[in-house]
Amino acid sequence: MARRRSEITEILRQRVFSGLHLGIIRHRGRLPSVRQVARELGANPRVILAAYRTLEGEGLIELKPRSGVFVAAPDTSVADPTPRRADWMVDVLIKGLQHGVLPRGLPQRVGQCLDSVDLHAVVLECNDDQLYSVPEELQRDFGINATGIEIDSLQAGSETPTILRGVDLLVTTAFHQKEARALAKHLGAPLIVITMCTHLFTEVGRLLPQGPVYFIVSDPRFARKLHHLFESSKGAANLRILVLGSDDLKEIPDNAPTYLTRLSRRRLKESPLLNRVLPEDRVFSAESARQILSFLIRTNLAAASSNRR
Amino acid sequence: MKSRRIDIADALRQRLLSGLHLGELKHGQRLSSARELAREMGADPRVILAAYRVLEQEGLVELRPRSGIFLIAADASANGLHRRTHDWMVELLLEAVERGIPAPEFPERLRRSLETLRLRVACIECNVDQIDELSHELHTTYGLDVSGVDVYAMLESARPPKDVRRADLLITTHFHTHEVQPIATQLEKPLIVAELLVDGFAEVARRLAEGPVYYIVVDPRFAKKLGKIFSSARGSADLHVLVQGRDDLDQIPPGAPVYLTRLVRERLPDRSPLTPAIPPARVFSPATSRLLFTFILRANLHALTEP
């Protein structure tokens, strides 16, 4: 229940952020009622109300009795983030004490779980967009050196590329898990099959019935994959996927919601589009992030204790 | 009952971990039985056993039926401790990442959130025993620069002492709120009225009902304060507060429950025949601990975000 509540809070928070960003909703504008959201998400109205109250506490929205739910005025929604972060860190320090770690020792203790050992991962995927975004996130959020390899380039029976020898971890998505599993077995390396952060897809799925939604990708193969993902969504015909370099970006209307993969964002460099498109925020789902962290921390703790011996 | 179990598990864990760290305890070593500890801590043996089970779950101790309680062997300990640390770190770093802090940056962010400012606190109390106890914890656990201030000396002087004027934060206990609050207001200093963990006192009260209890202090003023605190407890006539250096400690019968303030513990000779009760793992209540951390982190984060 608690988990459900935090998930729903996150979904609603993202909706407000992306809605504001895209101009679909306005400051002081009305948001769907507790009842409406409950019906849409198939959740208990009390859970939705609790989630809305959390967002109210963050200064993002306002609950007006007998009137409805509203996006907060702009000056309060950009409230100082300091108190929220401080409160979270307080919890972190208290947890630390419960584990017998004094605050001053905590940074080192966390560091030990992260950089006692250098890890190298190989990402197996079938398109440039994901071969860019997945390794980038492994590096940025988890400090794991990662290289992308096109899975189709690994022909059965051919020699194993050097980069795969001595690799600490293989990462792929559900689409390629069969081939990846065989390779992992062959190499004797652990494999993590990641799932993507669904906020983006939920949001797109919600927007599609309302009108065209644009995606700018770099690899036509990723375009096909996306079409595939949304083919059973309501309003799937509204999904417009443009491939950088071959399609004309000028056809995107000024106020249409537009998404950009990380690779496209990097390649676009300077474009007025960059100012209004939604960044692909995080790639991994929480579950995948948890798996990666678990691998990372286990390996580091083992290395740290064998160093000590 | 539940919180008592957790408190005792906390105290035991801290004691075992620091014992291992300092080399006073060895892996695989036999530990005091639940019954022995119960006597020592003045608690119900069932609560002690429940606390031991918490630690067994964490992989720190092993309960062998009909044999005793043992500190886990070194190899198993690495696994047990690893499992605990692993689960904790995964949750911690997952939350960090979800808050937009990449895991590799988290240790440095945390360090800066704690150490950007050197914060000075004036710890204001009426006796050296408590000033010492609070100051020690404020320094070791919270990393604050502490000056102890005698509340009466402060009130007698024409203006608050330099340590109070220069402090970023004032701390006292509720006994002296009415004396310290006006000064905090006048100097525009934040004030935390600390709540202390009452466990220690509650334990003393419980044991008073069973027979004489000895309490050794350094400052006669704390002796007087203790007398007042326990004046309404059942068996209060059985409380013997002795002042170190003034009263004869040899009068304490062997085996009697003895409580010492930190200052006394420090001054006691190594080979003292006294077997004192386990000192509490921490001094401040969880609520006060939270207030202190909030103050420290907000001050640091504010300093970090200021242009």
Side-chain angles (χ1 to χ4, degrees):
Chain A
M1 183 77 165
R3 183 181 178 109
R4 180 99 178 112
R5 178 173 152 190
S6 71
E7 254 170 47
I8 287 179
T9 309
E10 182 60 27
I11 291 173
L12 296 178
R13 189 186 293 124
Q14 286 303 324
R15 274 191 195 175
V16 175
F17 281 144
S18 48
L20 283 171
H21 199 95
L22 292 169
I24 300 167
I25 58 176
R26 282 169 214 296
H27 287 292
R28 298 193 187 83
R30 184 191 287 276
L31 290 169
S33 71
V34 169
R35 205 169 287 273
Q36 283 167 327
V37 180
R39 211 175 309 125
E40 184 202 332
L41 298 178
N44 189 321
R46 272 176 300 180
V47 176
I48 307 293
L49 185 63
Y52 266 154
R53 287 215 191 286
T54 304
L55 299 186
E56 186 176 43
E58 293 171 10
L60 202 58
I61 66 168
E62 240 180 290
L63 294 167
K64 295 186 189 161
R66 281 181 304 280
S67 172
V69 186
F70 296 85
V71 183
D75 47 345
T76 57
S77 70
V78 281
D80 180 11
T82 307
R84 247 175 81 201
R85 179 151 292 172
D87 288 349
W88 171 62
M89 284 203 172
V90 168
D91 289 334
V92 168
L93 297 179
I94 288 176
K95 253 291 172 38
L97 278 187
Q98 288 166 358
H99 283 262
V101 182
L102 293 180
R104 267 179 296 177
L106 192 52
Q108 193 219 343
R109 188 66 174 270
V110 182
Q112 206 178 57
C113 296
L114 292 170
D115 43 45
S116 296
V117 61
D118 268 336
L119 291 175
H120 190 258
V122 165
V123 177
L124 302 164
E125 252 304 332
C126 65
N127 64 80
D128 294 345
D129 290 285
Q130 288 181 294
L131 282 170
Y132 179 80
S133 63
V134 176
E136 195 205 33
E137 184 148 316
L138 281 169
Q139 180 78 57
R140 185 196 67 188
D141 276 358
F142 307 97
I144 299 177
N145 302 309
T147 318
I149 291 190
E150 227 173 89
I151 194 149
D152 298 337
S153 72
L154 301 169
Q155 302 286 330
S158 67
E159 205 183 321
T160 312
T162 349
I163 191 122
L164 278 170
R165 289 192 207 130
V167 68
D168 299 298
L169 175 69
L170 294 177
V171 175
T172 192
T173 57
F175 296 96
H176 310 293
Q177 60 172 309
K178 209 173 130 212
E179 303 97 298
R181 222 173 272 289
L183 184 65
K185 204 172 158 202
H186 173 67
L187 294 170
L191 167 73
I192 293 181
V193 179
I194 56 166
T195 51
M196 294 299 169
C197 182
T198 51
H199 295 149
L200 175 73
F201 297 121
T202 320
E203 189 61 18
V204 173
R206 197 177 66 88
L207 292 172
L208 278 176
Q210 301 168 21
V213 176
Y214 288 82
F215 254 100
I216 308 173
V217 304
S218 293
D219 189 330
R221 291 172 296 184
F222 189 51
R224 280 199 292 280
K225 204 165 170 178
L226 279 175
H227 271 300
H228 201 66
L229 270 174
F230 287 104
E231 70 189 356
S232 58
S233 304
K234 221 169 118 202
N238 277 332
L239 183 67
R240 311 284 157 83
I241 302 175
L242 306 180
V243 178
L244 208 60
S246 53
D247 295 319
D248 184 7
L249 303 185
K250 290 204 186 73
E251 74 171 74
I252 304 176
D254 277 347
N255 49 7
T258 306
Y259 292 86
L260 202 59
T261 64
R262 284 198 199 167
L263 183 59
S264 308
R265 166 168 285 262
R266 203 183 66 136
R267 288 190 178 163
L268 260 177
K269 283 192 195 106
E270 280 169 45
S271 158
L273 267 176
L274 286 176
N275 298 323
R276 63 179 191 82
V277 295
L278 275 180
E280 199 185 8
D281 174 30
R282 237 175 298 137
V283 178
F284 304 143
S285 68
E287 202 35 54
S288 297
R290 187 189 299 275
Q291 274 180 298
I292 293 164
L293 281 169
S294 177
F295 168 79
L296 179 65
I297 292 163
R298 235 181 310 122
T299 316
N300 272 285
L301 284 172
S305 70
S306 66
N307 286 346
R308 229 176 292 139
R309 270 182 214 147
Chain B
M1 179 75 166
K2 187 182 169 205
S3 77
R4 178 92 180 124
R5 183 186 78 207
I6 300 298
D7 286 347
I8 289 182
D10 278 353
L12 281 176
R13 185 188 304 112
Q14 193 131 349
R15 183 177 168 182
L16 297 179
L17 290 175
S18 48
L20 277 173
H21 204 79
L22 300 171
E24 288 162 358
L25 294 173
K26 300 230 173 327
H27 286 291
Q29 172 181 338
R30 190 203 185 104
L31 299 169
S32 311
S33 72
R35 196 174 293 273
E36 285 163 347
L37 260 188
R39 212 173 310 126
E40 197 180 324
M41 299 179 91
D44 188 325
R46 280 172 303 176
V47 179
I48 305 281
L49 194 63
Y52 264 142
R53 289 212 192 283
V54 171
L55 301 184
E56 188 182 33
Q57 280 286 310
E58 296 173 3
L60 191 59
V61 305
E62 198 186 337
L63 274 62
R64 295 185 207 150
R66 280 182 306 279
S67 172
I69 296 160
F70 296 83
L71 202 49
I72 206 83
D75 286 354
S77 153
N79 289 336
L81 285 179
H82 279 179
R83 199 177 55 216
R84 249 165 64 77
T85 307
H86 165 270
D87 294 354
W88 166 38
M89 286 296 160
V90 168
E91 292 315 312
L92 168 60
L93 291 169
L94 190 62
E95 281 178 20
V97 168
E98 282 178 350
R99 283 177 157 73
I101 306 172
E105 285 174 28
F106 179 73
E108 179 58 18
R109 295 254 195 127
L110 186 60
R111 208 183 54 70
R112 278 189 304 181
S113 311
L114 288 167
E115 297 174 10
T116 296
L117 297 176
R118 282 204 74 84
L119 293 166
R120 281 180 298 232
V121 52
C123 176
I124 308 168
E125 248 299 331
C126 64
N127 62 82
V128 295
D129 290 285
Q130 283 189 295
I131 289 178
D132 164 77
E133 201 110 29
L134 303 186
S135 300
H136 179 75
E137 173 111 338
L138 287 168
H139 182 68
T140 55
T141 303
Y142 300 90
L144 298 163
D145 284 349
V146 194
S147 336
V149 175
D150 184 304
V151 66
Y152 297 117
M154 175 179 82
L155 292 173
E156 276 160 23
S157 60
R159 77 192 273 234
K162 198 164 148 218
D163 285 338
V164 174
R165 281 181 281 129
R166 285 172 50 217
D168 300 298
L169 173 70
L170 310 184
I171 286 191
T172 188
T173 62
H174 71 260
F175 294 99
H176 304 291
T177 315
H178 60 288
E179 290 142 339
V180 179
Q181 181 71 68
I183 290 172
T185 312
Q186 177 207 330
L187 296 174
E188 298 181 346
K189 303 272 185 201
L191 167 70
I192 290 181
V193 179
E195 277 172 19
L196 307 184
L197 283 175
V198 288
D199 271 28
F201 288 158
E203 210 172 292
V204 174
R206 235 188 341 268
R207 299 184 77 168
L208 272 178
E210 296 163 10
V213 173
Y214 292 80
Y215 211 123
I216 311 176
V217 303
V218 168
D219 192 329
R221 291 174 297 180
F222 188 45
K224 234 186 259 170
K225 196 168 172 180
L226 279 174
K228 262 187 236 157
I229 291 174
F230 289 104
S231 61
S232 60
R234 199 150 62 92
S236 62
D238 273 339
L239 179 69
H240 303 279
V241 184
L242 306 178
V243 176
Q244 195 181 31
R246 184 191 77 183
D247 300 326
D248 179 15
L249 303 187
D250 291 341
Q251 63 173 285
I252 301 173
V258 181
Y259 290 85
L260 313 174
T261 64
R262 208 193 75 91
L263 215 47
V264 174
R265 276 199 300 280
E266 272 198 350
R267 295 179 182 183
L268 215 57
D270 279 349
R271 302 197 146 269
S272 163
L274 297 173
T275 47
I278 306 180
R282 284 187 280 280
V283 176
F284 296 114
S285 75
T288 298
S289 186
R290 186 167 283 280
L291 280 178
L292 283 163
F293 282 138
T294 305
F295 171 79
I296 294 165
L297 289 168
R298 287 199 180 177
N300 276 290
L301 289 174
H302 190 71
L304 281 170
T305 50
E306 234 171 35

